Amino acid sequence: MTSWYFTARKPSAAAKWVVVVFAALSVLGIGGNILTLLRGGPVFAVLLGVVVSLLYIAAAVLLFRPDAKIWFGEQVNGDDPA
């Protein structure tokens, strides 16, 4: 959760990429949750884990919107850096 603090409070490109790596790892978590479900695991807990992972991934994707790029000081659509 500290990486989210540094992406929200202070523009840190390193923290942005840490969030992206954690989001990529959560894809593995979704796979593990599906395997648990197929083996007869608790349905509610598995579905909740999948929903949490999907929300984390969605939040990480939003870090690449044009307004987020401005926040991180990156170029937007080929504009000259300020």
Side-chain angles (χ1 to χ4, degrees):
M1 287 300 159
T2 306
S3 56
W4 281 112
Y5 176 81
F6 287 114
T7 57
R9 294 290 181 185
K10 189 169 124 177
S12 172
K16 171 185 172 177
W17 287 105
V18 168
V19 169
V20 170
V21 168
F22 285 153
L25 290 174
S26 71
V27 171
L28 297 174
I30 291 173
N33 284 333
I34 291 171
L35 286 175
T36 301
L37 185 61
L38 292 175
R39 291 181 183 160
V43 175
F44 180 74
V46 170
L47 292 178
L48 187 62
V50 169
V51 168
V52 168
S53 295
L54 290 174
L55 288 173
Y56 196 94
I57 293 166
V61 167
L62 293 177
L63 293 175
F64 293 93
R65 290 181 36 165
D67 57 340
K69 287 184 177 187
I70 292 170
W71 171 253
F72 290 111
E74 300 170 350
Q75 287 185 355
V76 179
N77 297 332
D79 292 341
D80 291 330

